[in-house]
């Protein structure tokens, strides 16, 4: 099915009339104000005001919609939510109504009639009934379940947030397959795993209410990022209060535009810069030694084998200066040495901190300047600035609690994590924070759910042969705690190469677009040609090009769901979504599809049992032996989690609470990683040493040919090293002079539905359908390029065509392009297919620890088309 702009605009005429909105808005802000005033006036006459949660992206902003005669007229931020999370909403959220009324939405189930699958193969869809669709699915699933349930692979991306991944996880557990794959390796999994290896869970935010110096390494909340709609106003509040913001990234982003200073670091070289800052802090003796010895394993003794010295009872040992002996913290009051080498039972040991110090010996400011491009003088002065602002030794009295005060934070998101050495880059930033005592201090780095999963502080099991098709937590990706989505199609294409003891037969893709959104994306198609594929989505994506069966889903404005929210250091909240319309009378969403399949497969009660487990329900449970509508499911979840009547949810959309100082600062590290017998933050990640030993043994025992042990040994260093600033393309692609980085745009950062939205593509600017390749003006001049010239971006794996945009806001050795443009699905409108699909030219060298996709490591050539 192909579509044209003419056909789209013809179809949109009725929609424009229904909504009362013109596509030729002269000023969106002024129009929105007038519309809101009119809608408020109408509401007094009986129109509805419905509170809900936006799930257009993963910020989950509170919204309220004005609905008249069953038609959504406008969407605004929920003012009541501003004290808990978002003050406003972004262009995607404001125009989300058009995703619901989009005439190119999937409306009925469709089956493929063309057996050939490919980018340019028309599936030749035929509409079928829901009953036929369910019967087709049930027949195939029944055969697979009877044979080997693992042959079913379930994928979800944004679908996790529309219904909650507890539903597909519960369904797959009841069915019997371990293969539930999320998209986190195309988002931030390296950052998550770095957290987990360090303090036993993931999730951190800057404590911006009290921060004085905010260092942003590749975090851009002013465009598109998790927590954007809190971070943007929290940062601006901080700046008004006097906080200094320094943005360290290759491109002059929206975040850099609002910063006090932009430091254009060379792509992929963050580790060298951060480690040089660490060395300066150590050499200048401007570190928080009390924090390091009290809360981290910096004082623990490390042997020549890289392992922590432990007692016969398995307790880590430190060198006690008072008794001149190795002791555990359980021995009572200790005065542990932070530096030095010591002899224990005839063997020499160093403190973990000494190992760190020795590893930084050659990472001088001059070396870091050569590698990262940041002047040595600025590295020295920045280290001094960090030390001064950190106020080491200070405390603050909040609500009667005396709490450590370290108002400096180094924060990152995709910028450090989307790399071959993403875990080590992210760990480097965590170590920088640890050196100044920033974690869980007032104004520092706020940690979420410290030690929620202590197993993360242990070595991986390094499973082999793998049970899961994505190879997560196997010998291939030992600490891939968050699935490895881009690996699936490689494994499906050649299961024997990875030791998988079965051949996958069926893949279900729910609101995810794998063949479009990963690096080296063309290779994703190979595996998808070999299985029966089902897609559940709202639009005809690139994944649908390889589907055998497509089922339409409801949008977030049409469905009941218990909504995810974003916690912040000082707020928590619980929310729902509730339907405002059903534009095309679609009878099912993903929730009811799963329920219907569970019933037809005879696993409904097992599904219910697993739902109770996955959601952690305590007071209110799903009952066996009965059916639930999506609304009834949300009511159960709300009453168990929020402990308020469901009518409160219907009226308000959410409930929230403020976090007091004790819970905010003293329930994490202070309560769980301090004192005798408690684990410590892992400045030195010794579990990686143990994991590598298991990898090495498994590879040699099983003669595994597709694992490079030298590469794994480098990746599995217990400390970030200067070598981690040199990903594979930087070492090997010698004839490719330019670094390629990617980034998000606020109005186009989902790989599918945002490309269809006419407001995002027409009303807010002429350039929104395109994603020009940003290049330094001086570099372009030397290459003979002018603004708007058509060019080819060529890497070792592919080429992409685009146009250049000259700017001074990027390093001379770097080009940058936003992704989520250049769609090629035959079912997408003509205008959605504009722009450059850069993913086909990006090399894939996933992080060997987490499996994270390496979006920012590719080197390229650029020349006129």
């Amino acid at each position: 099915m192909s579509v044209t702009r003419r056909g789209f605009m013809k179809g949109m005429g009725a929609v424009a009339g229904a909504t009362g909105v013109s596509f030729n808005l002269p000023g969106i802000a002024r129009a929105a104000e007038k519309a809101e005033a009119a809608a408020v006036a109408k509401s007094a006459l009986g129109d509805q005001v419905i509170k809900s949660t936006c799930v257009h992206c993963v910020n989950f902003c509170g919204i309220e919609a004005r609905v008249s005669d069953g038609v959504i007229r406008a969407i605004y931020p929920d003012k009541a939510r501003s004290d808990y999370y978002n003050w406003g909403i972004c262009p995607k959220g404001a125009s989300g109504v058009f995703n619901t009324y989009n005439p190119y939405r999937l409306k009925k189930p469709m089956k493929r009639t063309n057996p050939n699958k490919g980018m340019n193969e028309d599936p030749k869809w035929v509409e079928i009934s829901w009953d036929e669709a369910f019967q087709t699915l049930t027949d195939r699933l029944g055969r697979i379940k009877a044979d080997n349930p693992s042959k079913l692979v379930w994928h979800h991306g944004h679908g996790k947030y529309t219904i909650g991944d507890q539903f597909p996880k519960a369904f797959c557990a009841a069915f019997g397959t371990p293969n539930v794959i999320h998209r986190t390796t195309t988002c931030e999994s390296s950052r998550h795993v770095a957290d987990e290896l360090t303090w036993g869970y993931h999730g951190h935010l800057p404590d911006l209410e009290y921060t004085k110096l905010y260092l942003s390494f590749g975090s851009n909340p002013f465009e598109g990022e998790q927590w954007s709609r809190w971070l943007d106003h929290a940062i601006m509040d901080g700046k008004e209060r006097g906080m200094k913001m320094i943005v360290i990234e290759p491109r002059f982003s929206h975040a850099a535009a609002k910063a006090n200073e932009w430091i254009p670091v060379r792509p992929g070289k963050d580790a060298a810069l951060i480690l040089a800052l660490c060395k300066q802090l150590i050499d200048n003796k401007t570190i928080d030694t009390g924090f390091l010895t009290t809360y981290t394993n910096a004082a623990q003794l490390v042997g020549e084998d890289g392992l922590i010295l432990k007692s016969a009872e398995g307790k880590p040992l430190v060198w006690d200066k008072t008794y001149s002996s190795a002791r555990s913290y359980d021995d009572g009051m200790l005065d542990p040495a932070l530096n030095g080498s010591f002899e224990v039972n005839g063997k020499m040991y160093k403190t973990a901190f000494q190992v760190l110090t020795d590893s930084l010996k050659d990472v001088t400011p001059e070396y870091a300047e050569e590698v990262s491009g940041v002047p040595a003088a600025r590295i020295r002065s920045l280290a001094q600035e960090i030390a001064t602002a950190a106020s080491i030794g200070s405390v603050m009295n909040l609500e009667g609690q005396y709490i450590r005060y370290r108002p400096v934070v180094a924060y990152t998101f995709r910028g450090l994590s989307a790399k071959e050495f993403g875990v080590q880059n992210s760990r480097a930033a965590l170590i920088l924070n640890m050196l100044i005592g920033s974690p869980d201090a007032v104004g520092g780095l706020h940690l979420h759910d410290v030690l929620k999963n202590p197993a993360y502080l242990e070595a991986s099991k390094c499973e082999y042969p793998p049970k899961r098709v994505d190879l997560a937590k196997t010998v291939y990706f030992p600490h891939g705690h968050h699935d490895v989505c881009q690996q699936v199609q490689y494994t499906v294409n050649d299961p024997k190469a990875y030791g998988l003891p079965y051949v996958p037969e069926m893949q279900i893709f729910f609101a995810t677009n794998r063949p479009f959104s990963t690096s080296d994306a063309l290779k994703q198609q190979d595996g998808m040609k070999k299985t029966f594929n089902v897609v559940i989505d709202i639009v005809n994506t690139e994944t649908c090009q390889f589907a055998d069966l497509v089922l339409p889903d409801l949008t977030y404005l049409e469905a009941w769901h218990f909504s995810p929210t974003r916690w912040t250091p000082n707020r928590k909240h619980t929310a729902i979504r509730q339907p405002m319309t059903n534009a095309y009378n679609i009878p099912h969403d993903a929730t009811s599809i799963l329920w219907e399949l569970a019933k037809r497969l005879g696993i409904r009660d097992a599904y219910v049992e697993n739902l109770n487990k996955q959601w952690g329900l305590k007071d209110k449970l799903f009952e066996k032996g009965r059916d639930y509508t999506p609304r009834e499911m949300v009511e159960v979840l709300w009453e168990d989690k929020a402990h308020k009547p469901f009518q409160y949810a219907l009226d308000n959309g959410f409930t929230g609470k403020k976090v007091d100082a004790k819970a905010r600062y003293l329930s994490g590290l202070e309560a769980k990683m301090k004192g005798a017998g408690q684990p410590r933050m892992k400045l030195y990640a010794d579990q990686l040493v143990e994991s590598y030993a298991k990898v090495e043994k498994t590879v040699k025992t099983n003669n595994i040919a597709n694992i490079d042990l030298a590469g794994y040994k480098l990746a599995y260093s217990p400390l970030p090293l200067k070598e981690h600033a040199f990903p594979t393309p930087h070492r090997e692609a010698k004839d490719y002079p330019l670094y390629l980085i990617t980034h998000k745009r606020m109005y186009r950062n989902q790989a599918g539905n945002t490309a269809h939205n006419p407001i995002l593509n027409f009303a807010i600017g002429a350039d929104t359908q395109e994603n020009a390749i940003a290049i330094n003006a001086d570099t372009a001049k030397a290459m003979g390029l002018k603004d708007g010239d058509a060019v080819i971006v060529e890497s070792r794996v592919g080429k992409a065509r685009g146009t250049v945009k000259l700017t001074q806001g990027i390093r001379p050795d770097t080009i940058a392009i936003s992704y989520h443009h250049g769609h090629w699905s035959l079912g997408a409108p003509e205008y959605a297919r504009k722009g450059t699909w850069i993913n086909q030219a990006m090399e894939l060298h996933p992080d060997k620890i987490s499996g994270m996709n390496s979006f920012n490591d590719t080197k390229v050539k650029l020349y006129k088309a």
Side-chain angles (χ1 to χ4, degrees):
M1 181 176 72
S2 61
V3 294
T4 65
R5 177 178 177 180
R6 181 180 180 184
F8 172 81
M9 296 308 292
K10 183 178 180 181
M12 281 305 294
V15 178
T19 59
V21 178
S22 168
F23 290 131
N24 299 309
L25 298 179
I28 288 181
R30 294 191 300 275
E33 289 176 1
K34 293 179 181 178
E36 181 175 21
V40 169
K42 282 188 175 183
S43 68
L45 302 175
D47 289 359
Q48 290 178 286
V49 178
I50 299 178
K51 302 267 191 174
S52 192
T53 306
C54 182
V55 194
H56 209 311
C57 77
V58 291
N59 272 282
F60 317 129
C61 295
I63 57 172
E64 60 180 38
R66 310 293 177 176
V67 181
S68 177
D69 298 324
V71 176
I72 305 171
R73 298 296 183 180
I75 298 173
Y76 306 102
D78 179 7
K79 293 182 176 64
R81 204 82 66 102
S82 64
D83 195 34
Y84 294 86
Y85 186 69
N86 61 298
W87 286 7
I89 54 177
C90 75
K92 295 190 304 299
S95 63
V97 61
F98 289 98
N99 285 49
T100 293
Y101 291 109
N102 175 9
Y104 292 107
R105 278 199 40 203
L106 297 169
K107 306 178 187 72
K108 294 183 179 180
M110 302 188 300
K111 70 176 180 181
R112 185 185 201 93
T113 60
N114 179 7
N116 300 317
K117 296 178 181 178
M119 286 179 63
N120 299 310
E121 289 284 350
D122 185 349
K124 297 183 179 179
W125 298 114
V126 174
E127 289 185 357
I128 60 175
S129 68
W130 277 98
D131 188 64
E132 181 180 348
F134 280 125
Q135 192 61 51
T136 301
L137 270 171
T138 305
D139 289 346
R140 283 187 172 269
L141 288 170
R143 290 195 297 270
I144 291 172
K145 181 170 173 50
D147 173 27
N148 181 350
S150 296
K151 292 182 178 181
L152 169 66
V153 183
W154 172 283
H155 305 254
H156 55 251
H158 196 65
K160 170 181 178 178
Y161 308 111
T162 59
I163 71 172
D165 67 354
Q166 292 88 345
F167 286 102
K169 284 182 176 179
F171 176 84
C172 289
F175 185 83
T177 178
N179 291 313
V180 184
I181 319 296
H182 185 36
R183 71 174 182 199
T184 316
T185 48
T186 59
C187 184
E188 58 164 333
S189 65
S190 283
R191 190 182 93 140
H192 279 347
V193 173
D195 287 353
E196 289 157 0
L197 295 172
T198 306
W199 44 272
Y201 202 60
H202 61 265
H204 62 258
L205 286 173
D207 190 37
L208 291 172
E209 189 176 355
Y210 298 103
T211 303
K212 290 170 60 177
L213 177 60
Y214 175 46
L215 306 175
S216 173
F217 289 90
S219 166
N220 192 5
F222 294 96
E223 289 183 87
E225 185 178 298
Q226 293 177 16
W227 281 277
S228 280
R229 300 290 77 79
W230 171 75
L231 278 168
D232 54 9
H233 63 76
I235 288 171
M236 297 312 294
D237 280 352
K239 284 180 62 63
E240 290 180 10
R241 195 187 65 248
M243 180 187 79
K244 182 174 182 178
M245 178 182 181
I246 300 176
V247 168
I248 305 166
E249 59 184 38
R251 181 179 71 98
F252 190 73
S253 64
H254 282 56
K258 293 173 174 61
N260 299 79
E261 181 183 2
W262 170 48
I263 298 178
V265 65
R266 186 170 287 127
K269 309 305 180 184
D270 312 83
L273 172 61
I274 295 171
L275 293 176
L277 290 171
C278 290
K279 177 175 171 57
Q280 286 296 293
L281 290 170
I282 293 169
D283 288 351
N284 296 337
K285 295 182 173 54
T286 50
I287 59 174
D288 191 340
T289 57
F291 178 85
L292 292 170
T293 56
T294 302
Y295 298 91
T296 82
N297 71 346
Q300 291 174 5
L301 297 173
V302 179
E304 293 181 359
D305 58 2
L307 298 176
I308 299 289
L309 176 63
K310 296 180 179 178
S311 68
E313 297 76 27
K315 296 175 181 177
L317 300 179
V318 300
W319 187 262
D320 180 47
K321 292 187 289 186
T322 302
Y323 295 97
S324 296
S325 63
R327 296 185 173 218
S328 73
Y329 279 103
D330 288 352
D331 291 338
M333 295 296 293
L334 298 176
D335 184 13
L338 187 59
N339 301 87
S341 299
F342 307 94
E343 184 177 342
V344 182
N345 297 329
K347 295 182 179 180
M348 294 305 298
Y349 295 86
K350 295 179 180 180
T351 67
F353 183 77
Q354 186 65 55
V355 177
L356 171 65
T357 301
D358 292 348
S359 73
L360 300 176
K361 178 180 62 176
D362 299 326
V363 191
T364 63
E366 287 72 24
Y367 171 82
E369 177 178 0
E370 179 183 349
V371 173
S372 71
V374 178
R378 185 61 186 114
I379 295 173
R380 287 191 171 89
S381 64
L382 181 56
Q384 293 173 349
E385 203 171 335
I386 292 169
T388 300
S391 304
I392 293 171
S394 299
V395 296
M396 178 177 282
N397 186 338
L398 290 176
E399 301 170 14
Q401 306 285 341
Y402 287 90
I403 305 165
R404 290 181 301 108
Y405 175 58
R406 305 287 183 276
V408 178
V409 62
Y411 182 72
T412 180
F413 199 78
R414 189 171 173 270
L416 293 190
S417 65
K419 293 180 167 67
E420 179 179 356
F421 297 113
V423 167
Q424 297 291 2
N425 274 270
S426 300
R427 284 253 310 143
L430 291 175
I431 288 173
L432 176 61
N433 283 296
M434 282 188 269
L435 289 179
I436 58 174
S438 172
D440 269 359
V442 176
L445 188 71
H446 178 83
L447 308 183
H448 185 56
D449 281 345
V450 171
L451 212 60
K452 184 176 181 179
N453 191 341
Y456 289 147
L457 300 180
E458 304 297 330
S460 169
K461 293 181 180 178
C462 297
E463 176 187 271
Y464 190 85
K467 296 183 179 69
R468 291 170 53 98
V469 71
D470 68 336
L471 310 183
K473 292 179 276 193
T474 70
V475 67
Y476 288 95
F477 303 108
H479 294 273
H481 304 148
H482 301 275
D483 312 340
V484 188
C485 70
Q486 77 279 353
Q487 174 61 38
V488 174
Q489 303 314 326
Y490 291 88
T491 308
V492 171
N493 191 46
D494 190 0
K496 289 184 179 179
Y498 301 96
L500 193 73
Y502 56 89
V503 178
E505 294 182 5
M506 183 174 179
Q507 301 188 72
I508 301 178
F509 299 85
F510 171 40
T512 192
N513 203 8
R514 298 283 151 76
F516 183 83
S517 60
T518 65
S519 294
D520 201 4
L522 290 172
K523 289 185 179 178
Q524 293 293 309
Q525 301 174 17
D526 296 337
M528 298 183 72
K529 294 176 182 179
K530 295 189 174 184
T531 53
F532 184 89
N533 303 319
V534 180
V535 172
I536 305 170
D537 214 321
I538 63 172
V539 295
N540 202 331
T541 66
E542 283 71 21
T543 305
C544 293
Q545 288 289 120
F546 299 88
D548 297 276
L549 184 65
V550 172
L551 303 179
D553 193 15
L554 295 175
T555 71
Y556 69 97
L557 300 176
E558 297 175 308
W560 288 101
H561 285 299
F562 184 74
S563 181
T565 58
R566 288 287 173 205
W567 59 272
T568 65
N570 59 357
R571 299 289 192 274
K572 292 182 179 179
H573 43 299
T574 301
I576 68 162
R577 300 203 325 272
Q578 48 188 323
M580 305 168 185
T581 189
N582 190 330
Y584 296 104
N585 296 314
I586 296 170
H588 288 283
D589 70 346
T591 304
S592 61
I593 289 171
L594 286 173
W595 191 269
E596 181 67 19
L597 288 176
K599 282 180 63 178
R600 290 181 179 231
L601 289 166
I603 58 173
R604 184 184 64 180
D605 283 355
Y607 181 41
V608 166
E609 183 178 346
N610 280 285
L611 279 176
N612 289 331
K613 291 178 182 177
Q614 288 291 334
W615 281 103
L617 300 183
K618 298 175 182 177
D619 300 325
K620 187 92 171 178
L621 300 176
F622 292 113
E623 299 173 4
K624 295 180 181 178
R626 56 156 293 187
D627 289 331
Y628 285 88
T629 65
R631 184 190 189 280
E632 290 170 335
M633 287 183 167
V634 174
E635 185 169 1
V636 169
L637 294 171
W638 170 268
E639 291 183 355
D640 183 81
K641 303 296 182 183
H643 305 291
K644 285 181 180 291
F646 193 52
Q647 188 61 46
Y648 187 94
L650 301 180
D651 295 339
N652 298 280
F654 85 106
T655 181
K657 66 178 181 179
K658 298 180 181 180
V659 179
D660 63 27
K662 184 176 181 180
R664 181 172 173 178
Y665 299 108
L666 303 179
S667 63
L669 289 183
E670 197 73 28
K672 299 175 182 178
M673 292 189 131
K674 177 185 180 183
Q678 298 278 55
R680 297 293 192 271
M681 283 189 83
K682 293 212 171 188
L683 177 132
Y684 183 89
D686 57 296
Q687 71 267 52
L688 291 180
V689 179
E690 296 182 62
S691 291
Y692 173 74
K694 290 183 178 182
V695 170
E696 183 179 41
K697 181 179 179 181
T698 303
V699 167
K700 292 179 178 179
T701 300
N702 295 278
N703 296 313
I704 300 174
N706 53 4
I707 285 182
D708 170 26
L709 285 177
Y712 272 71
K713 187 169 186 178
L714 173 60
Y716 276 72
S717 166
L719 291 166
L721 304 171
K722 62 182 182 180
E723 288 80 6
H724 295 136
F726 297 93
T728 297
H730 294 197
R731 301 192 309 268
E732 296 181 356
K734 303 296 185 183
D735 298 327
Y736 295 80
L738 295 171
Y739 298 92
L740 168 66
I741 62 171
T742 61
H743 60 92
K744 297 180 181 180
R745 303 174 94 176
M746 181 183 289
Y747 45 84
R748 183 75 85 87
N749 64 16
Q750 299 294 340
N753 59 71
T754 52
H756 286 233
N757 192 313
I759 288 293
L760 302 180
N761 279 285
F762 297 107
I764 64 175
D767 69 331
T768 54
Q769 296 173 63
E770 305 284 348
N771 56 336
I773 300 162
I775 184 172
N776 184 276
D778 294 335
T779 302
K781 182 178 179 181
M783 298 175 66
L785 296 174
K786 301 186 300 295
D787 216 42
D789 277 353
V791 296
I792 302 294
V793 179
E794 179 182 345
S795 71
R796 298 189 299 174
V797 301
K799 299 178 181 179
R801 183 186 179 101
T803 58
V804 293
K805 178 67 177 176
L806 276 57
T807 177
Q808 294 294 343
I810 194 168
R811 287 184 53 86
D813 55 5
T814 303
I815 62 171
I817 187 166
S818 62
Y819 56 100
H820 302 318
H821 284 73
H823 286 271
W824 43 265
S825 168
L826 297 180
E830 177 186 354
Y831 61 81
R833 299 201 294 267
K834 292 185 177 181
T836 299
W837 180 44
I838 195 60
N839 299 64
Q840 62 190 312
M842 291 191 293
E843 293 194 32
L844 176 61
H845 302 279
D847 183 284
K848 294 175 177 64
I849 301 174
S850 67
M852 178 73 202
N853 199 300
S854 54
F855 284 114
N856 290 316
D857 290 340
T858 302
K859 295 199 72 179
V860 297
K861 300 174 182 177
L862 185 73
Y863 48 87
K864 283 188 177 181

